[in-house]
């Protein structure tokens, strides 16, 4: 049978059998008439994937030319010319010519016909059939890739693998089944597929090692058991071994020099081995073993661990204590220690908080004083000083005045005590200008600040008193026996104007318990004529107001000169509006007894006699004021020895309450009151 008939019969059989084979006929313009000049026409031929296209030329009559330059029909695949035809080959001529039929291994092509502007003869063009013909994808010239076996079928192909291999997800590559291996023994060996023979290509192996918590996987290699293909640049670009331990990756590894011992730090390890399509290497063998996962104790900075060990492993429990000067702070509370245990993954159950430097905070304030410091942390120092020269620092018995921030967060002195110094008033500050002669009864005017302890009593009785501390005034009992709220002023010299005066408010008036209260005009017994007044608030000491000392440790001698001052009556029989002062000697009691003609007045050992008998004396309105002496043994301080009490004639001698006899009562009274209510620094009177 003529070969030109057989394709047509094949097409008919395919169509009749219902197979989806495409075919068709294409002819040149006006065929079988002569084709026109300057003609162009194209046809797109498409068949299903897995098929190629075969062309059968039944008629070919196109103007011949060198390389088909004038008129031609050509085949293009992706705009690339794959065949170009011209010349005269009509039915029955050259039946074996290779141009008579042509096969193209593609399912898409384009056919184009082109003629120029003239033809010397009449040419009828071409006539052809095309048909879809099965494509053999497994031919060596095919672009199809199968790593092992290629199997062709009508309309397509498939890859297959030899025994022991499986087709991977790309449906082209064969690999060995080397994943899913699980190792749970504490020790063992793992090797690449086929070891020590060549390992297979195109494989991805995953070996899983899973040990019980608390152990890490340790991997070791030997050089004789290690051979993995390396890229030409020496990098692991072809076959790769990696070890995945938790979030940490070791590798990639390749070549002939194995890695050093690997402590993975995890009880769960994946050994991954990936190969490409080439190479002949024997692979690897590893030994794995267990080791207790250590917990890094170095993370506990500035601390001590108990019990102390070089290495802590799973389930070890420790007590963490900060070193001296450091502490834990949890929710603003100081915590001496924390506990933590080593977990199976090599981490500690508790790592926070961290030890931080102890902070003692600002040193405590003291009344009339202040601390000086630059830092408040461990071993910082602070020193105390008073706010002015009118106060003096008094240190605790064992202290040196310097406090240090201790490891316990407390400010302590050199002996570890917390007792703070105190700023106590400087008493008896004496200005030598006050020693000038003169008389109260016709005496000399005092200037402001010369006698800063003098307190003026305005009502209910005119009188005076002495400031003996920041919050206590001493006076005569008969001055305050009629009122528990006497009107008092301190730090002044001019009583009518009261310029720059401090109004002092009494909280409590305490009269000596043995003082007998009776009207002054009928009084003949002034024994125990002494009283104390607690002020509502502490007096801020300064140049115009400060206390007098209570005692000197010695008693004044007869003929020793003391000083009296006040706003009482002068020799001109009027009350002075300005503070007056004078010096008078201490006398024996007989001097005062001589001028008392009436024997009804009482004299006792609680009294002193003073005056010069020549006009220097206290008088009415000076009651309660202090009789002061210089303490030559105590830095020239002034101390009070007597309180103006009574007399029968101004200008001669006066009787004073002997303060020395009441020192114990004064101290006990003040201590009792202040211990009962606390030592307040501010006003507590309504």
């Amino acid at each position: 049978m003529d070969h030109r008939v057989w394709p047509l019969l094949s097409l008919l059989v395919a169509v009749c059998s219902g197979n989806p084979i495409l075919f068709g006929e294409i002819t040149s313009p006006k065929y079988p008439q002569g084709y026109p000049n300057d003609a162009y026409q194209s046809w797109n031929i498409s068949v299903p994937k897995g098929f190629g296209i075969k062309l059968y030329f039944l008629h070919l009559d196109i103007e011949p030319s060198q390389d088909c330059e004038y008129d031609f029909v050509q085949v293009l695949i992706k705009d690339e010319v794959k065949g170009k035809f011209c010349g005269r080959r009509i039915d029955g001529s050259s039946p074996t010519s290779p141009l008579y039929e042509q096969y193209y291994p593609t399912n898409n092509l384009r056919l184009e016909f082109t003629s120029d502007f003239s033809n010397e003869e009449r040419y009828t063009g071409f006539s052809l059939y095309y048909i879809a013909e099965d494509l053999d994808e497994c031919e060596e010239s095919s672009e199809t890739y199968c790593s092992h076996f290629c199997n062709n079928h009508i309309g397509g192909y498939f890859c297959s693998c030899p025994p022991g291999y499986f087709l991977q997800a790309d449906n082209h590559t064969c690999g060995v089944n080397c994943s899913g291996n699980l190792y749970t023994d504490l020790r063992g060996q793992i090797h690449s597929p086929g070891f020590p023979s060549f390992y297979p290509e195109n494989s991805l192996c995953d070996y899983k090692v899973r040990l019980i918590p608390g152990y890490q996987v340790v991997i070791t290699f030997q050089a004789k058991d290690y051979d993995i293909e390396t890229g030409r640049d020496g990098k692991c670009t072809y076959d790769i071994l990696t070890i995945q331990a938790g979030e940490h990756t070791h590798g990639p590894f390749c070549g002939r020099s194995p890695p050093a011992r690997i402590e993975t730090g995890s009880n769960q390890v994946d050994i991954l081995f990936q190969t490409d399509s080439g190479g002949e290497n024997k692979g690897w063998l590893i030994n794995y073993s267990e080791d207790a996962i250590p917990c890094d104790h170095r993370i506990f900075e500035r601390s001590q661990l108990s019990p102390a060990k070089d290495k802590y492993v799973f389930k070890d429990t420790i007590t963490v204590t900060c070193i001296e000067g450091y502490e834990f702070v949890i929710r603003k509370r100081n915590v001496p220690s924390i506990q933590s245990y080593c977990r199976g993954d090599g981490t500690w159950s508790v790592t926070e908080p961290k030890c931080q430097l102890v902070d003692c905070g600002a040193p405590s304030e003291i009344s009339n004083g202040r601390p000086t410091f630059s830092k408040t942390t461990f071993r910082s120092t602070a020193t105390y000083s008073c706010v002015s020269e009118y106060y003096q620092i008094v240190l605790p018995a064992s202290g040196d005045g310097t406090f240090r921030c201790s490891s316990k967060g407390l400010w302590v002195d050199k002996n570890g005590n917390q007792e703070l110094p105190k700023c106590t008033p400087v008493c008896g500050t004496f200005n030598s200008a006050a020693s000038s002669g003169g008389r109260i009864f016709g005496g000399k005017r005092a200037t402001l600040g010369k006698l800063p302890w003098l307190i003026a009593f305005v009502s209910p009785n005119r009188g005076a008193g002495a400031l003996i501390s920041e919050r206590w005034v001493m006076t005569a009992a008969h001055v305050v026996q009629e009122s528990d709220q006497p009107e008092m002023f301190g730090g002044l010299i001019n009583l009518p104007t009261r310029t720059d005066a401090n109004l002092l408010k009494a909280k409590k008036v305490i009269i000596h318990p043995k003082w007998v209260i009776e009207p002054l005009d009928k009084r003949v017994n002034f024994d125990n004529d002494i009283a104390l007044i607690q002020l509502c608030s502490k007096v801020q000491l300064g140049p115009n107001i400060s206390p007098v000392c209570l005692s000197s440790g010695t008693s004044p001698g007869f003929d020793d000169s003391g000083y009296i001052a006040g706003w009482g009556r002068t020799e001109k029989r009027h009350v002075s509006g300005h503070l007056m002062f004078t010096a008078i000697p201490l006398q024996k009691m007989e001097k005062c007894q001589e001028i008392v003609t009436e024997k009804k007045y009482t004299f006792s050992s609680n009294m002193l006699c003073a005056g010069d008998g020549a006009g220097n004396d206290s008088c009415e309105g000076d009651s309660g004021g202090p009789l002061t002496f210089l303490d030559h043994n105590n830095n020239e301080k002034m101390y009070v020895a007597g309180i103006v009490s009574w007399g029968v004639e101004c200008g001669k001698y006066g009787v004073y309450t002997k303060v020395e006899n009441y020192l114990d009562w004064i101290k006990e009274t003040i201590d009792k009151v202040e211990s009962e209510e606390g030592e307040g620094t501010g006003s507590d009177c309504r």
Side-chain angles (χ1 to χ4, degrees), residues 14-15 18 39 91 111 137 155 164 200 227 233 268 336 372 398 455 536 648 654-655:
V15 172
D91 295 345
L111 199 66
E137 292 91 347
D227 177 21
D233 56 359
Q268 299 187 17
T372 300
S398 61
I455 304 298
C536 286
V648 295
V655 181

Side-chain angles (χ1 to χ4, degrees), residues 8 11 15 21-27 45-47 53-58 111 127-132:
L8 295 176
L11 287 173
V15 172
I21 299 176
L22 299 180
F23 62 93
E25 181 181 8
I26 299 175
T27 60
I45 302 174
S46 179
V47 297
I53 300 174
K54 180 173 282 190
L55 303 180
Y56 293 93
F57 283 91
L58 303 179
L111 199 66
S127 171
L128 62 79
Y129 281 94
Y130 69 88
I131 185 172

